[in-house]
Amino acid sequence: MAEHHHQLSDIQEETPPNTLSRPTSQPTLLNIDVGQSAEIPNERHVPPPLSPSSHHTRPRRGSSVSHVDVAFFDPEGVQELTRSLTRRSTKEPKNQDIESLSTDSTIAPKDGEPFDLAKTLRRIVQKREEHQIKPRELGVVFKNLRVVGLGATASYAPTMGSLLNPSSIFEAFQKVRHPPARDILSGFEGVVKPGEMILVLGRPGSGCSTLLKTIANRRKEYYAVEGDVHYDSFSPSELYNHYRGDVQYCPEDDIHFPTLTVEQTLQFAATARTPRHRAIDSRNEFADKLTDILTTVFGLRHARKTPVGDHMLRGVSGGEKKRVSIAEALAARSCIGAWDNSTRGLDASTALEFVQALRVATDTFRLTTIVSIYQAGESLYKHFDKVCVIYEGKMAYFGPADRARQYFIDLGYQPANRQTTADFLVAATDPNGRIARPGFHPPQTATEFADQFKNSELGKLNRQEIDEYTLEFVGKPDRADAYKQSARRELAKGSRKKSPYLLSIPQQIQAVMRRRVQILRGNMLLTGLNLFSFVFQALIMGSLFLRMKENTSAFFSRGGVLFFALLFSALAAMAEIPALYGQRPIVLRHEHGALYHPFIEALALTLVDIPITLVTLIIFSIILYFMVGLQQSADQFFVFLLFLFAMSITMKGWFRAIAAAFASDAVALSFAGISVLAVAIYTGYTIPKPTMIGALRWITYINPLRYGFEALMTNEFRTLQGECSSLVPQGPGYENITIANQVCTTVGSLLGQPVVDGSRFLELSYGFQWSNTWKNLGIVIAYGIGFFAALLIFTEFNTSTFHESAVVLFRRGHKKLSGATDEEAGTVHEKEPLPESDKEAGNKAMASHEPMTDIFSWQHLQYTVPIPGAADRKLLDDVSGFVAPGKLTALMGESGAGKTTLLNVLAQRTSTGVVAGDRFVNGQVLPHDFQAQTGYCQQMDTHTPESTVREALLFSAKLRQPASVPLAEKEAYVEKCLRMCGLEDYAEATIGSLSIEHRKRTTIGVELAAKPKLLLFLDEPTSGLDSQSAWAIVSFLRSLADNGQAILCTIHQPSAELFQVFDRLLLLKKGGKTVYFGDLGVNADTLIHYFENNGGRKCQAEENPAEYMLEVIGAGATATSEQDWYTIWKNSPEAVRLEEQIHDIHTEGRKKPAVEAAFASEFATSWFYQVWELLKRDHVAYWRNPTYLMAKLALNIIGGLFIGFTFFQSSNSQQGTQNKLFSIFMVTILSVPLSSQLQVPYIDKRTVYEVRERPSRIYSWTAFVTSHLLVEIPWNVIGSHFLFFCWYWTVGYPTDRAGYTYLMLTIIYPLYYSTISLAIAATAPNAEIAGLLFSTLFSFVIAFNGVMQPFRELHWWKWMYRLSPYTYLIEGLLGQALGRQSIECSAIEFVQLNPPSGMTCAQYLNPFISAAGGYLTNPDATTTCNFCSMSTADQFLASGFNIFYDHAWRNFGFMIVYIVFNIVVFFGFTYIFRIHTGSFLPKFNKTKKSQA
């Protein structure tokens, strides 16, 4: 096999500089396809002779290991691929360069003889040796390995109180100075050679993931890694810096770009790791062939064009996605692969296929493979050469897989009946799960296990193997040089010799840009929505400022429309921030795999984005520019477009750099929000530069938007000669006056001139000059370059993601757990064996549980769902069965067989589709509160994360048990449930911090606390658990059943011993068709006989019946069955017997009275009681979420201070009065980020309600909505108090006017934005869409409140002005704060005019002043009258903004009406969008269905 491996490698793809990846041979996946026939694995143990220059193959022990034929997954696909490669190779020219000889081009058969994979492989090896093309392979050896992590084992949950408590602050400071460190792993030693697979076993938290990450050279997340680790002759740092693509770590979760197809995902990995010397294939051909081979060998050909998908986008199945992850890692052609718990959530058949795929890859390419798996079946275990058992961070065993079982038996432990080897090895490390052999005194603690192994024969053998390997492979410069030479031949031209990336920078950019385009094309909806939002805003603003006049009254509005255009295009990029965090784990994984530099991803995003942004802005600009009627000349339009585009790109750089700089999106969004406030205020529109306070004026100089705004304004105004619309004096009595005796009050007017020059107006008002335009463009571009440089630097070096190690958090004031700790996460995971008294208490608790007598049955269930654009799909097809009290019934089948669907249909939890068939209790109709009388434990453990376990159980008991049950009895029953579920030690721990097992126990406990009368449904209660936890959960279910509970439970990957716990089985195949229903029998004999008697193969004695039956019926991604087991079942005597049993149950049941509804209404308790309990729970959840509350308060405080000091002590001049107006306007804009913040917890809580609590009929949706309002609003009111006190006196408002402002700003304002944002959130499926909807709606509210476009200019939009609630909020605040005050013009605001000869200023102007307002400073002068056009704020507010002091209480009343309206809408929208199912037009619906 060694040779094959080499040859494979030769096919090396061109690799980026840094790639020192697996031996070249291995990289060549081509070989794989080419020839992996079944003989290869057998050859593996007999290394063929090698030329002196090539690697030594290292013999592997373990002849008992199962091997897999390469055609296992997709036999037809392999044949087709073989044919296509044969065709390709016959076309190749005969004269090839040396490199090409190593490729699959040499596969052509001679003289038309049949194509032989094995022979071809041997030929390739021969050619490679002739031309001395060196492959690479890599083993790993480690001694005295110790990994140290940071963090305490258990802690207290933070609360708002603890955050502000000085002692807590001191504790936090101490932790930063002296971080608590602890050993995660210690004393590890071993070797894994090329071609070997090792299985790492241990309980959750014992250190399995840490060992995998350490071997895969992922050291950064640990405090320290000590000991000797060698990758042959390379140190870990050398490997990371130069050859890190040769080591791949595949995390448990499959995270890929969801909109890319399977083919695109694999093709990208293949392209990024294509070597330079590869045959005469072009790079693209090489990547295509590699993708072809991978999709074939892993059975993905049928899904090549399917998106990978995620929780939001439907894509390939879980098993297929797992295989995509494997194929991607193999496309990267690594030498060492670490796979972390990769079978999670797969059924037994798919999990086996995954391990078989790894075996194929390991054998074909002589990889070094390390795998950790929970609940590994015997058939899985047989594929491994070695096994490592970890016990609390110590090495309990490291050696041959086939000798491990006997080693632990010799230690003094015995396996349970039919216990798989892997389960037995893990059980030996669990004090509650192990069985000691009589007469033995086996080791008990982790240290004893580790010492015992060190001193054992196998321990000595392990050290001997390490020494031999070290002697041969470690510290050999010639070996290292050969490896380096092989790696360098893969680097593309132009790459650094020591780069770990195979492609040069330009090649990386090209590949990543192509991928970015594919991502965008896969998600056209987002691009379309973005374009729509720009067009929509352009149309609204264009109609708002439609065909503006060219006189001076529109100067302010003209500035407003330019400010809006700039701000909107610049700030649109802020919405990208969450998405950038979503892709960070993928980019990080690709960096570790040496596919490309992280900064390349940021660069590609920018380059692809430029044309899209340009097209969007051209459309936006054309609509807005010509609707508004800005200056109609080509050069001015293109300058407008140029600056919009430049500013948009620059600000995208800014927001992306912020996203790249921070580890968590919450912090990034807060920072971005504050930067938006600064950028918007200091542009120079809301507060002109001359009136800014000196201490903050510097912000304008560092604000890129200000330079863009100056260019847009001067570009527009430079050709504008505005006819004066405010001549003084004018009107009755002044008809015959000439311009010589009039003056224009607009800033910049000149005596005796009826027009105002736009340039002069700008220079005097804002300090803007057209001559600065190109300098401004240069500054904007410089900022853009600076921001993008920062983006690239942060992206390259700050690739970490925000990661909190899981620590169990307890309620303050309650004891932390004593006991052993989770070595990796710091959670407590090791339970001491329960004292007998506690076990007895638990058993007594169960025995006192009232047994059930009612039998639930279903007959001929059919379930079809509509598929848009296709025929309806049938998910369940004629399913019948029953669940009897005291019996544990398993519901099984492969992935996609309809197990969860059936559970949901039986529990009445489906909202779409059509259900046909009958469901009965005792043969009678289900009671109307059937859902309330059953318990349903979902696969996803959905809880309020801040609640403690006891609080969650008590909440369930209080609201789901009848109101007549005394509270003391409910509390006592909750304690009983805690004992039954083994959760007493964790009763005061917050659910969000628990391990998977304890969260699963909590889910079951919450359902038990409700005392379900009829039955308990469970959906995959053991998924994601290790075998011991799974056994604990299933034994617990068994004891519940023994005490009379009826239980129906879906289950994945059960071991034989787990399977035997069940009484009955309902087995489904794809399409929801029944294959078997009936008793299992002792050791599952009844089930096995059924399959054997109907043509199934014989079940071996040591075989797991659960795996046997799935294999027989053809379950699994690539398996098939020749027999139609559905038809066999329909015609079997067992099916007839089932019908008879159900008939008997119905006959007996109908003799008894029907099961009555337990509750008169839909819920067990009254509405007010529900609200009270929800209020208590929600208040506690908020109090224990100080991050959210502090973000809310900080935004108010920082926003208040920032706005307050920006408009610090505004004077009573005209500009000062306008500044006060804007200070109030900006305060109302703070409601946007505040609203976005509060939508997130609401949607999180609503998810818990919709997923778990609503279907269980715990409480009414109106109670949920009411309690959320009552908990959210007080915190927003508190926040607004901080805002008011930081802002009101800072701006300089009079104290005697503070009362009304206080009422409006601290009570009405938070009430308004809380209710409107929640009403909008009620319509949205997630927080992103809620934020988008709110900001769109808010732009309406802001645009039409009479500030940006004064009331007199609103034309036909005046109805929107009257509809906008902010009209009344701003009028109330402004009218009260500024009304009935005098205005004193500043020097620049006075205008000078000459009265007609013979008149004094007073005589000339008094009639005008009495009509229009204003005042004179020199009434007796006869020339140069000093006139101020405003004398009172009322005049300023009424003429410009239609604001009146007298409307204060009217406005207050209107705001109350809006708040009440919002609350009504919140309830209404919640009902329409989230509660009501079906159509509001039932007749139309029926006709539609009947037609269908």
Side-chain angles (χ1 to χ4, degrees), residues 225-241:
V225 179
E226 300 166 7
D228 302 322
V229 181
H230 294 284
Y231 298 88
D232 289 2
S233 294
F234 294 104
S235 70
S237 58
E238 276 180 292
L239 191 77
Y240 184 80
N241 292 331

Side-chain angles (χ1 to χ4, degrees), residues 201-214:
L201 295 172
R203 302 194 63 218
S206 58
C208 298
S209 296
T210 302
L211 180 64
L212 262 65
K213 285 178 183 174
T214 310

Side-chain angles (χ1 to χ4, degrees), residues 939-1070:
Q939 190 176 344
M940 301 300 293
D941 303 308
T942 314
H943 298 280
T944 306
E946 297 87 2
S947 294
T948 66
V949 175
R950 179 176 278 121
E951 286 165 356
L953 267 67
L954 196 54
F955 181 80
S956 177
K958 282 178 174 179
L959 291 182
R960 292 170 72 181
Q961 290 186 26
S964 56
V965 179
L967 180 60
E969 194 175 313
K970 291 180 181 176
E971 288 174 344
Y973 189 72
V974 164
E975 295 306 316
K976 189 191 294 185
C977 291
L978 287 170
R979 275 199 295 278
M980 283 197 281
C981 299
L983 286 168
E984 289 166 292
D985 283 347
Y986 293 87
E988 296 300 338
T990 58
I991 299 173
S993 67
L994 291 176
S995 66
I996 297 177
E997 178 196 348
H998 289 103
R999 219 172 303 163
K1000 187 64 72 184
R1001 286 171 178 267
T1002 304
T1003 303
I1004 298 173
V1006 163
E1007 294 304 315
L1008 285 179
K1011 272 197 180 173
K1013 285 177 64 181
L1014 294 177
L1015 79 159
L1016 191 58
F1017 295 104
L1018 297 103
D1019 191 8
E1020 289 184 29
T1022 61
S1023 194
L1025 302 179
D1026 69 307
S1027 47
Q1028 294 315 110
S1029 303
W1031 174 253
I1033 295 281
V1034 173
S1035 328
F1036 172 49
L1037 295 178
R1038 174 74 267 168
S1039 51
L1040 280 175
D1042 291 342
N1043 285 287
Q1045 182 91 40
I1047 296 175
L1048 178 61
C1049 167
T1050 64
I1051 192 151
H1052 260 172
Q1053 298 182 31
S1055 61
E1057 55 171 345
L1058 216 60
F1059 191 51
Q1060 286 167 22
V1061 174
F1062 291 89
D1063 300 297
R1064 286 202 183 92
L1065 168 72
L1066 170 53
L1067 180 60
L1068 299 177
K1069 61 176 279 190
K1070 273 224 166 80

Side-chain angles (χ1 to χ4, degrees), residues 1208-1209 1284-1296 1298:
F1208 185 67
Q1209 298 299 328
F1284 175 79
F1285 288 115
C1286 292
W1287 162 83
Y1288 187 82
W1289 285 279
T1290 324
V1291 178
Y1293 291 111
T1295 304
D1296 58 352

Side-chain angles (χ1 to χ4, degrees), residues 56 91 199 231 239 245 435 483 495 523 572 649 663 763 782 804 823 890 1009 1095 1100 1165 1182 1214-1215 1236 1471 1482:
H56 289 43
K91 294 176 190 169
L199 176 64
Y231 298 88
L239 191 77
I435 308 166
Y483 191 94
S495 296
N523 191 8
I649 295 293
E763 190 165 350
E804 286 181 352
E823 296 304 320
Q1100 304 303 315
T1165 54
Y1182 269 47
Q1214 288 184 38
Q1215 182 62 55
S1236 302
Y1471 177 75

Side-chain angles (χ1 to χ4, degrees), residues 90-157:
T90 55
K91 294 176 190 169
E92 312 271 346
K94 287 178 185 171
N95 304 323
Q96 298 168 347
D97 60 18
I98 290 179
E99 271 89 60
S100 68
L101 289 168
S102 71
T103 71
D104 70 349
S105 342
T106 60
I107 294 170
K110 290 185 180 172
D111 307 320
E113 64 188 46
F115 185 67
D116 182 331
L117 289 175
K119 191 184 286 185
T120 307
L121 279 177
R122 285 195 288 273
R123 193 178 302 140
I124 291 177
V125 173
Q126 183 187 341
K127 293 284 184 190
R128 190 196 62 240
E129 291 190 341
E130 282 174 19
H131 297 283
Q132 299 195 353
I133 290 176
K134 304 181 181 78
R136 304 200 299 287
E137 56 187 38
L138 205 56
V140 60
V141 60
F142 47 91
K143 275 197 281 196
N144 305 321
L145 180 64
R146 175 172 177 243
V147 182
V148 183
L150 283 180
T153 52
S155 185
Y156 290 121

Side-chain angles (χ1 to χ4, degrees), residues 556-857:
F556 184 73
S557 300
R558 212 167 272 269
V561 78
L562 294 172
F563 176 67
F564 163 78
L566 190 63
L567 198 64
F568 183 74
S569 54
L571 302 189
M574 189 173 160
E576 285 181 359
I577 290 178
L580 293 172
Y581 280 90
Q583 71 174 33
R584 199 181 269 197
I586 305 171
V587 176
L588 184 62
R589 188 177 78 240
H590 287 168
E591 182 210 11
H592 281 300
L595 270 64
Y596 53 86
H597 283 282
F599 82 82
I600 300 285
E601 168 59 38
L603 189 60
L605 177 62
T606 305
L607 294 175
V608 169
D609 201 38
I610 285 174
I612 297 171
T613 305
L614 183 60
V615 170
T616 307
L617 285 176
I618 288 172
I619 297 169
F620 175 76
S621 299
I622 290 171
I623 295 171
L624 184 68
Y625 198 91
F626 296 105
M627 277 184 80
V628 171
L630 298 175
Q631 297 295 291
Q632 312 278 307
S633 73
D635 66 323
Q636 283 171 296
F637 172 74
F638 284 110
V639 168
F640 173 81
L641 180 61
L642 172 69
F643 273 91
L644 272 197
F645 176 67
M647 280 310 314
S648 184
I649 295 293
T650 297
M651 293 309 288
K652 275 178 190 258
W654 167 247
F655 288 119
R656 287 173 186 168
I658 290 174
F662 293 103
S664 88
D665 54 347
V667 182
L669 281 167
S670 300
F671 186 84
I674 291 166
S675 75
V676 165
L677 197 63
V679 160
I681 292 178
Y682 284 88
T683 303
Y685 172 68
T686 52
I687 176 165
K689 196 167 115 188
T691 63
M692 292 175 191
I693 64 165
L696 292 176
R697 193 174 295 168
W698 57 273
I699 298 177
T700 58
Y701 296 108
I702 61 162
N703 179 4
L705 221 60
R706 178 249 165 193
Y707 298 99
F709 185 59
E710 177 175 3
L712 288 187
M713 289 285 276
T714 52
N715 175 55
E716 173 66 19
F717 278 85
R718 66 193 162 108
T719 58
L720 192 64
Q721 296 293 319
E723 186 182 326
C724 186
S725 54
S726 57
L727 283 171
V728 173
Q730 60 180 345
Y734 295 97
E735 291 84 357
N736 302 318
I737 302 183
T738 62
I739 189 69
N741 301 118
Q742 285 178 304
V743 70
C744 185
T745 57
T746 305
V747 175
S749 63
L750 293 171
L751 199 60
Q753 289 196 3
V755 293
V756 177
D757 177 51
S759 300
R760 181 176 158 81
F761 166 75
L762 284 188
E763 190 165 350
L764 292 174
S765 296
Y766 298 96
F768 289 169
Q769 293 179 341
W770 166 249
S771 58
N772 293 335
T773 301
W774 305 112
K775 179 186 80 175
N776 289 337
L777 181 64
I779 292 171
V780 168
I781 291 170
Y783 268 112
I785 291 168
F787 292 154
F788 278 105
L791 166 64
L792 301 185
I793 291 165
F794 285 137
T795 309
E796 181 70 12
F797 298 107
N798 182 33
T799 50
S800 63
T801 49
F802 186 63
H803 174 73
E804 286 181 352
S805 66
V807 173
V808 177
L809 300 173
F810 287 86
R811 187 151 73 93
R812 294 204 162 255
H814 291 75
K815 68 180 174 87
K816 296 185 193 176
L817 251 179
S818 56
T821 58
D822 173 326
E823 296 304 320
E824 290 184 291
T827 50
V828 180
H829 83 89
E830 192 62 86
K831 300 186 298 293
E832 293 305 316
L834 284 174
E836 286 306 311
S837 59
D838 279 12
K839 281 188 183 170
E840 279 171 30
N843 293 338
K844 272 186 196 163
M846 287 193 208
S848 65
H849 197 62
E850 295 169 27
M852 300 174 175
T853 54
D854 305 306
I855 299 178
F856 176 63
S857 59

